[in-house]
Amino acid sequence: MQLDKLKDRILDGYDISYEEALLLIKSPLNELRECADEIRKVKCGNKFELCTIINAKSGRCTEDCKYCAQSVHYKTDIDEYDFLGDNEITQSALSNEKAGVDRFSIVTSGRRFNKKDVDKLCVTYRKLNKKCSIDFCGSLGLLEYEDFIKLKNAGMSRYHNNLETSRRFFPYICTTHTYDEKLHTIKEAKKAGLEICSGGIFGLGETMIDRIDMAFTLKEIEVKSVPINILNPIKGTPLEHNEPLSYDEINRSIAIYRFILPNVLLRLAGGRALFYDKGKSAVNSGVNSAISGNMLTTYGIETKDDIDMVRDIGFEVSNE
């Protein structure tokens, strides 16, 4: 395959086919990454979007996602607590805004945030929007259309719900909810007028073909932001002994995603603190956004360090 010609066609508006995407698995890695980064530059520009999250309700989740430390099905050493109060969430949002992020997301454990707490959370979003100028997201589980309407009216602009992997591989990762339930949630959020943030985790035991399948599903449902997590095996979970992916395979996967999804915010997320360069090489494979700071139950990278890194690469960041 001539990567330059395929890249040029994509830059002219062509949508890569599934068969062409599969051929990228064997393409020369350095050339693939260079082409992916050029696609990013032309299609998305040099603005780098940084977001942070707050783990606003931790642990005691009834779902059995095999990578997750928050599941009641596994014995892991994490903090467990109920929904945080307005003051703690607001102070975190203000601190992150000062650090230079573009977005702040409230994340809660569990199958779904209950309807009574959704109403409480709407009060929190209204307070946040009065005190902060950044944008707000949420990751609250398998909500329904009426919940999304309330949250959008309260000031949430983007909803996060990861597919995690391909439809084929998903039942090996979770049995307490289905792929179709996730897709339904995403479609209801879109119907309510929210942007969608949805991606997955590399290193669950899936194949490269599974990753490509997920990318085409994300393309079909027209997501705005695609977080790419790298599995950080957590002791006590069923995946604690998974072999880590090589950095070359991670970079190849990211570059292929940019070929398939030329216009999205391709976002480095959890697990990149494990990289020797904190993700700099991955950014150069077509990435243009990241989750900064700590993740849900693992440590991340300081926002200042992320800003320094992406500026060094040549990106523009919000506080420039």
Side-chain angles (χ1 to χ4, degrees):
M1 172 184 285
Q2 291 184 298
L3 286 175
D4 269 340
K5 287 187 177 180
L6 181 58
K7 174 206 68 181
D8 289 341
R9 292 182 70 192
I10 291 170
L11 294 180
D12 287 337
Y14 175 70
D15 284 330
I16 187 174
S17 72
Y18 184 76
E19 291 72 23
E20 287 168 325
L22 293 180
L23 292 175
L24 297 177
I25 297 173
K26 299 296 185 182
S27 296
L29 179 57
N30 288 340
E31 185 182 356
L32 179 70
R33 293 177 61 221
E34 288 171 4
C35 289
D37 201 44
E38 187 174 345
I39 292 170
R40 185 273 305 167
K41 288 176 184 176
V42 174
K43 290 291 188 178
C44 304
N46 282 325
K47 176 67 192 297
F48 197 95
E49 185 182 275
L50 284 171
C51 68
T52 52
I53 62 176
I54 184 169
N55 190 3
K57 180 177 180 291
S58 180
R60 300 190 289 272
C61 179
T62 60
E63 306 306 284
D64 68 354
C65 305
K66 289 181 172 55
Y67 53 83
C68 187
Q70 300 197 69
S71 172
V72 296
H73 297 269
Y74 319 126
K75 292 182 179 179
T76 59
D77 184 22
I78 63 162
D79 292 333
E80 296 181 353
Y81 49 83
D82 290 324
F83 188 53
L84 298 176
D86 283 351
N87 287 341
E88 194 165 352
I89 293 173
T90 300
Q91 289 306 309
S92 179
L94 288 167
S95 174
N96 279 284
E97 179 180 35
K98 186 176 180 181
V101 303
D102 302 280
R103 287 184 166 272
F104 179 79
S105 183
I106 298 172
V107 183
T108 58
S109 67
R111 180 182 178 88
R112 62 150 289 149
F113 213 44
N114 69 55
K115 292 184 180 296
K116 187 176 180 181
D117 284 339
V118 166
D119 291 336
K120 292 180 182 177
L121 186 55
C122 287
V123 174
T124 301
Y125 276 117
R126 289 190 178 95
K127 289 181 179 178
L128 289 173
N129 276 281
K130 286 180 180 178
K131 294 188 175 185
C132 306
S133 60
I134 56 176
D135 294 312
F136 295 101
C137 311
S139 183
L140 312 165
L142 303 175
L143 301 185
E144 295 290 344
Y145 175 72
E146 59 269 21
D147 302 311
F148 292 126
I149 288 293
K150 289 179 181 179
L151 290 163
K152 184 176 186 298
N153 289 338
M156 187 177 78
S157 61
R158 186 181 293 169
Y159 195 69
H160 170 262
N161 191 283
N162 272 349
L163 292 181
E164 308 303 3
T165 188
S166 69
R167 179 184 285 277
R168 181 201 72 84
F169 194 66
F170 186 80
Y172 294 96
I173 298 302
C174 179
T175 66
T176 49
H177 59 268
T178 68
Y179 214 65
D180 285 322
E181 285 178 295
K182 283 184 167 289
L183 289 171
H184 173 76
T185 298
I186 289 168
K187 289 173 182 176
E188 294 298 280
K190 282 189 72 176
K191 187 166 73 172
L194 293 165
E195 293 180 349
I196 300 300
C197 179
S198 183
I201 306 172
F202 295 169
L204 298 172
E206 80 288 349
T207 65
M208 183 70 82
I209 292 174
D210 286 312
R211 292 175 211 143
I212 290 171
D213 286 348
M214 181 174 72
F216 274 94
T217 300
L218 294 168
K219 188 178 187 71
E220 181 182 344
I221 59 179
E222 299 179 326
V223 300
K224 172 74 173 179
S225 168
V226 177
I228 293 176
N229 299 271
I230 309 303
L231 180 69
N232 186 351
I234 296 172
K235 186 177 180 180
T237 65
L239 302 186
E240 66 174 301
H241 298 302
N242 272 33
E243 287 293 323
L245 299 178
S246 72
Y247 209 170
D248 280 354
E249 183 168 0
I250 291 166
N251 278 329
R252 179 178 296 279
S253 302
I254 290 170
I256 291 173
Y257 264 54
R258 180 54 75 192
F259 270 75
I260 298 169
L261 299 156
N263 302 300
V264 303
L265 288 158
L266 200 53
R267 187 180 304 276
L268 279 185
R272 66 191 176 93
L274 302 173
F275 300 163
Y276 71 89
D277 63 353
K278 308 305 181 189
K280 187 172 185 178
S281 176
V283 170
N284 285 318
S285 298
V287 164
N288 63 335
S289 55
I291 299 179
S292 194
N294 291 333
M295 302 295 122
L296 294 176
T297 61
T298 57
Y299 291 108
I301 299 168
E302 291 290 333
T303 299
K304 180 184 181 301
D305 293 337
D306 277 335
I307 290 174
D308 289 344
M309 176 182 72
V310 297
R311 276 180 174 163
D312 184 60
I313 293 170
F315 282 97
E316 302 168 9
V317 292
S318 62
N319 62 353
E320 282 187 316

